[in-house]
């Protein structure tokens, strides 16, 4: 079926959305929420291709720009302040698709975190697909960098080739390492707190994920410091580790993938996992 552009009213502003109708009647649809400073197409056209794939499989999809992004009006905002935009998009989605009753949220990076915050207060959300959730703090970023980047760097052939060719800046590298080590012990810093809720971001995401009553598909990239930082935070908390093993949570890992799943094979794998998981929620 033909894709349909929509204008979504939200707090006096107009959001642009693209509806991908399914080829058959469906009671569950997918809302694609955009993360970071990008619009509804997503990196590498990922959201366009994912939406078409799912729609062809019988799952209606709506992707949209929230206020201040892409072709939507209003002031720009970050993931901490998009709850009203998500609610407005869901209202529009349900009114446009006959028989639609249940919504699955899909989000990469800070959109996954925004979805977790939102889903707590909307019973229409029956599931979340969260890719590489964002829990960034200065401390957590430095710890992930030290644990994963430096070890891989020392073990790489490229590193030792630079050393043997006297192209390695040892003084600069040591200064950078010392800075990261200091940050990793900083206790979080001011960037750990954002928005009206002053709890550190990892704690707020943990409480949101543990408090959500629906089902979650968690997809993690193996070559991504954001995913590593998230896994580090989960590992620190017993209840969060147990949540990851609960029956309501399914974890998929793509060890060779980067943050945005930038190859066709990685992108297609994410689409397959998303499609199959949603089919089991209907």
């Amino acid at each position: 079926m033909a894709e349909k552009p929509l204008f979504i009213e939200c707090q006096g502003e107009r959001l642009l959305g693209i509806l991908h109708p399914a080829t058959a009647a469906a009671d569950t649809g997918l809302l694609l929420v955009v993360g970071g400073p990008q619009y509804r197409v997503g990196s590498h056209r990922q959201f366009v291709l994912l939406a078409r794939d799912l729609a062809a499989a019988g799952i209606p999809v709506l992707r949209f720009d929230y206020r201040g992004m892409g072709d939507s009006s209003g002031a720009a905002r970050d993931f901490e302040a998009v709850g009203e935009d998500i609610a407005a998009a869901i209202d529009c989605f349900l009114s446009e698709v006959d028989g639609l009753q249940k919504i699955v949220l899909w989000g990469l990076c800070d959109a996954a975190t925004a979805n977790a915050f939102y889903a707590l207060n909307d019973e229409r959300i029956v599931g979340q697909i969260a890719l590489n959730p964002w829990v960034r703090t200065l401390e957590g970023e430095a710890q992930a960098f030290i644990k994963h980047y430096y070890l891989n760097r020392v073990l790489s052939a490229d590193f030792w080739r630079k050393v043997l060719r006297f192209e390695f800046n040892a003084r600069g590298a040591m200064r950078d390492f010392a800075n990261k080590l200091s940050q990793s012990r900083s206790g979080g810093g001011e960037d750990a707190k954002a928005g009206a809720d002053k709890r550190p971001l990892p704690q707020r995401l943990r409480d949101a994920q543990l408090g959500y009553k629906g089902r979650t598909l968690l997809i993690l990239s193996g070559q991504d410091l954001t995913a590593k930082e998230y896994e580090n935070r989960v590992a620190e908390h017993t209840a969060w580790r147990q949540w990851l093993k609960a029956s309501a949570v399914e974890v998929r890992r793509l060890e060779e993938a980067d943050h945005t799943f930038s190859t066709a094979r990685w992108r297609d794998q994410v689409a397959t996992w998303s499609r199959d998981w949603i089919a089991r929620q209907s």
Side-chain angles (χ1 to χ4, degrees):
M1 299 178 66
E3 296 164 9
K4 180 181 178 181
L6 299 170
F7 280 115
I8 303 165
E9 299 298 327
C10 178
Q11 302 294 310
E13 305 292 347
R14 292 209 309 177
L15 318 182
L16 181 64
I18 304 293
L19 174 65
H20 297 254
T23 53
D27 65 355
T28 304
L30 181 84
L31 183 72
L32 273 169
V33 179
V34 176
Q38 59 181 337
Y39 70 138
R40 64 194 174 279
V41 173
S43 51
H44 326 293
R45 299 181 75 241
Q46 183 177 36
F47 300 163
V48 178
L49 299 171
L50 176 63
R52 290 174 177 170
D53 184 301
L54 298 184
I59 303 165
V61 178
L62 176 64
R63 53 191 173 93
F64 74 106
D65 294 334
Y66 41 69
R67 284 170 289 176
M69 191 62 64
D71 296 305
S72 296
S73 65
R77 62 204 62 240
D78 69 9
F79 74 100
E80 301 268 8
V82 297
E84 292 171 333
D85 306 66
I86 296 173
I90 292 172
D91 292 342
C92 178
F93 198 7
L94 293 173
S95 69
E96 286 285 334
V97 180
D98 292 338
L100 192 63
Q101 300 175 21
K102 300 178 287 187
I103 301 296
V104 170
L105 299 177
W106 193 103
L108 166 67
C109 192
D110 58 13
T113 302
N115 288 344
F117 293 159
Y118 177 82
L120 279 174
N121 301 308
D122 191 332
E123 294 182 350
R124 299 171 297 183
I125 309 303
V126 298
Q128 301 176 59
I129 300 177
L131 296 84
N132 302 328
W134 177 259
V135 289
R136 178 60 45 83
T137 65
L138 190 63
E139 174 193 21
E141 180 185 27
Q143 290 173 351
F145 212 80
I146 290 171
K147 185 175 181 180
H148 301 286
Y149 172 78
Y150 284 113
L151 177 60
N152 291 337
R153 185 79 176 118
V154 170
L155 295 177
S156 74
D158 178 66
F159 169 80
W160 290 107
R161 277 194 292 269
K162 284 191 173 182
V163 171
L164 294 174
R165 292 198 297 259
F166 300 102
E167 296 174 352
F168 177 65
N169 182 356
R171 179 174 297 180
M174 289 303 296
R175 185 169 57 247
D176 182 64
F177 179 79
N179 287 337
K180 292 296 184 192
L181 189 62
S182 175
Q183 291 168 0
S184 73
R185 299 169 176 172
S186 66
E190 288 301 315
D191 70 334
K193 303 174 182 179
D197 189 335
K198 298 304 180 186
R199 291 175 299 161
L201 180 58
Q203 180 183 343
R204 286 188 289 139
L205 178 59
R206 184 188 70 218
D207 291 347
Q209 291 190 323
L210 269 56
Y212 177 58
K213 303 304 181 185
R215 304 184 68 84
T216 300
L217 170 61
L218 181 65
I219 301 176
L220 299 172
S221 300
Q223 306 302 314
D224 175 36
L225 287 177
T226 298
K228 299 296 185 188
E229 187 174 353
Y230 171 78
E231 292 190 276
N232 288 346
R233 297 283 79 83
V234 171
E236 293 171 352
H237 198 279
T238 301
W240 213 353
R241 293 199 305 273
Q242 292 173 342
W243 173 83
L244 214 62
K245 300 175 182 177
S247 59
V249 182
E250 182 174 324
V251 181
R252 296 283 190 172
R253 288 184 169 83
L254 203 48
E255 295 299 340
E256 67 272 30
D258 57 22
H259 182 63
T260 60
F261 305 89
S262 60
T263 72
R265 185 170 66 84
W266 301 337
R267 186 184 62 228
D268 291 346
Q269 181 62 78
V270 168
T272 298
W273 283 338
S274 299
R275 184 180 62 234
D276 293 348
W277 186 83
I278 294 170
R280 295 198 296 273
Q281 315 310 311
S282 301

